């Protein structure tokens, strides 16, 4: 009798801005548990974590995440008035330290990142060439990060069309899809960010933008600022799209850490998010093992 083959396992990593650091803990636990993916598909922050994992650079990303402070976070914000508030060049330079020169063909694990074409609204699957532009396009949140020109197409955040890319995993033959979901009901109060005046001075030397940032920092009323409204609106939309798409094409197992109490801008809470991700993956392990056994090894 012919032995059954190991099922094709894929990880679908979703978006979530700062909450995306929880991906690091989830990936660490599954690695410790001996569950290795044959494919990784990532959207937004899921593309950042997934790309580093596929390249064997996840430990370097973890070190970077754990070193993040509020002051350091602002140092990466190359603010300008263009296609987004943040150009993203400084973040690309940081990614280049880990992933510079690496192409999709160089990766240890096949990897696909999801973006959205601005002109058509089409879902774009990026899996050729350098991985840095593909990752940068996938996390280009509208209004926050400038869109990216990839092969003559202006691309923006993949969470606009596919927040948790289970469907992409299925399209490439996955028998078992383990989804990493970070979005849930989002409220304005949970996405507030206080931009302190002394940090705003370091963001840019442009007088107009500096004045805007200082103005945001001085808001002390209950009225949410523009950053909060933009981010909360995007996450509400992302959550609703994710619910609809997962209902139509559910994963075999899903890991959902409890991260509602952490703001989407709180990139300085990486260690806490790592632990929450690790614990959530541990709780999901029985359902993952059941799904694998159901397909058969």
């Amino acid at each position: 009798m012919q032995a059954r083959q190991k099922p094709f396992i894929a990880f679908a990593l979703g978006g979530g801005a700062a909450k995306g650091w929880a991906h690091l803990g989830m990936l660490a636990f599954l690695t410790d548990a001996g569950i290795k993916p044959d494919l990784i598909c990532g959207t937004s922050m899921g593309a950042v974590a997934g790309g580093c994992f596929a390249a064997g650079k996840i430990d370097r990303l973890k070190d970077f995440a754990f070193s993040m402070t509020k002051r350091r976070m602002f140092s990466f914000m190359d603010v300008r008035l263009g296609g987004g508030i943040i150009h993203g060049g400084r973040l690309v330079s940081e990614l280049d330290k880990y992933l510079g020169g690496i192409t999709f063909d160089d990766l240890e694990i096949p990897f696909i990142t999801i973006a959205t074409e601005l002109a058509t609204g089409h879902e774009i699957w990026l899996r050729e060439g350098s991985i840095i532009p593909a990752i940068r396009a996938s996390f280009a949140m509208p209004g926050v990060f400038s869109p990216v020109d990839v092969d003559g197409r202006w691309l923006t955040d993949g969470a606009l069309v596919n927040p948790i890319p289970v469907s992409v995993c299925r399209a490439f033959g996955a028998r078992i899809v383990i989804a990493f979901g970070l979005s849930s009901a989002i409220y304005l109060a949970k996405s507030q960010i206080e931009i302190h005046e002394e940090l705003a001075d370091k963001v840019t030397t442009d007088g107009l933008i500096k004045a805007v940032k200082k103005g945001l920092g001085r808001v002390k009323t209950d009225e949410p600022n523009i950053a909060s409204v933009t981010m909360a609106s995007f996450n509400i939309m992302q959550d609703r799209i994710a619910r609809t798409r997962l209902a139509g094409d559910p994963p075999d197992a899903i890991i959902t850490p409890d991260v509602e109490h952490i703001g989407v801008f709180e990139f300085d809470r990486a260690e806490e998010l790592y632990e929450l991700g690790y614990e959530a993956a541990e709780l999901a392990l029985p359902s993952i093992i059941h799904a694998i056994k159901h397909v058969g090894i």
Side-chain angles (χ1 to χ4, degrees):
M1 183 176 66
Q2 185 176 6
R4 288 179 293 180
Q5 294 183 339
K6 175 182 178 296
F8 187 154
I9 298 174
F11 290 172
L13 280 63
K19 299 170 190 278
W21 290 143
H23 286 311
L24 302 176
M26 291 186 280
L27 290 167
F29 177 81
L30 293 183
T31 299
D32 291 344
I35 298 173
K36 181 180 179 182
D38 302 293
L39 171 69
I40 299 174
C41 298
T43 294
S44 201
M45 275 296 285
V48 177
C52 288
F53 188 83
K57 306 291 185 180
I58 197 68
D59 288 338
R60 296 195 63 185
L61 180 63
K62 177 185 172 184
D63 291 342
F64 169 72
F66 280 22
S67 72
M68 188 64 68
T69 62
K70 283 186 173 65
R71 185 171 295 275
R72 192 174 188 209
M73 180 182 75
F74 277 95
S75 73
F76 287 102
M77 292 187 179
D78 43 355
V79 178
R80 71 168 195 178
L81 297 179
I85 298 172
I86 301 171
H87 179 259
R90 294 177 187 172
L91 286 170
V92 169
S93 295
E94 186 66 27
L95 281 174
D96 193 62
K97 295 178 183 178
Y98 320 133
L99 305 173
I102 296 178
T103 69
F104 282 89
D105 290 336
D106 298 326
L107 298 175
E108 299 174 5
I109 302 169
F111 171 60
I112 301 168
T113 184
I114 291 80
T116 304
E117 186 177 13
L118 275 176
T120 63
H122 292 164
E123 180 177 335
I124 305 299
W125 300 349
L126 300 170
R127 55 194 182 98
E128 295 179 348
S130 173
I131 68 170
I132 291 181
I135 291 172
R136 170 64 180 84
S138 189
F139 71 70
M141 182 178 295
V144 178
F145 287 101
S146 299
V148 180
D149 183 353
V150 177
D151 297 330
R153 298 181 295 189
W154 286 105
L155 305 182
T156 191
D157 202 312
L160 284 169
V161 289
N162 201 345
I164 307 175
V166 173
S167 59
V168 185
C169 297
R170 299 285 188 208
F172 283 86
R175 298 287 308 280
I176 301 292
V177 179
I178 302 171
F180 294 26
L182 301 171
S183 63
S184 56
I186 305 296
Y187 301 94
L188 286 173
K190 299 187 187 303
S191 61
Q192 294 288 349
I193 178 172
E194 293 183 0
I195 304 177
H196 298 291
E197 185 170 327
E198 66 270 21
L199 294 178
D201 288 340
K202 297 181 181 299
V203 174
T204 176
T205 58
D206 184 276
L208 174 61
I209 300 176
K210 187 188 296 183
V212 171
K213 299 293 282 185
K214 285 183 178 180
L216 289 174
R218 290 183 181 133
V219 173
K220 300 301 180 183
T221 68
D222 292 334
E223 181 180 346
N225 60 45
I226 187 171
S228 298
V229 172
T230 300
M231 186 66 86
S233 299
F234 182 82
N235 277 278
I236 290 168
M237 177 197 68
Q238 174 183 324
D239 178 59
R240 297 305 183 265
I241 294 172
R243 289 171 190 249
T244 300
R245 295 205 63 155
L246 292 181
D249 191 2
D252 298 280
I254 186 165
I255 303 172
T256 53
D258 182 6
V259 295
E260 283 193 42
H261 62 290
I262 297 177
V264 290
F265 285 111
E266 293 186 292
F267 288 93
D268 57 310
R269 298 177 69 175
E271 292 188 44
E272 180 182 356
L273 283 158
Y274 178 93
E275 293 300 328
L276 290 170
Y278 196 96
E279 292 167 4
E282 186 173 13
L283 288 173
L285 184 60
S287 65
I288 294 171
I289 292 174
H290 177 268
I292 293 173
K293 287 183 176 179
H294 180 72
V295 172
I297 296 180

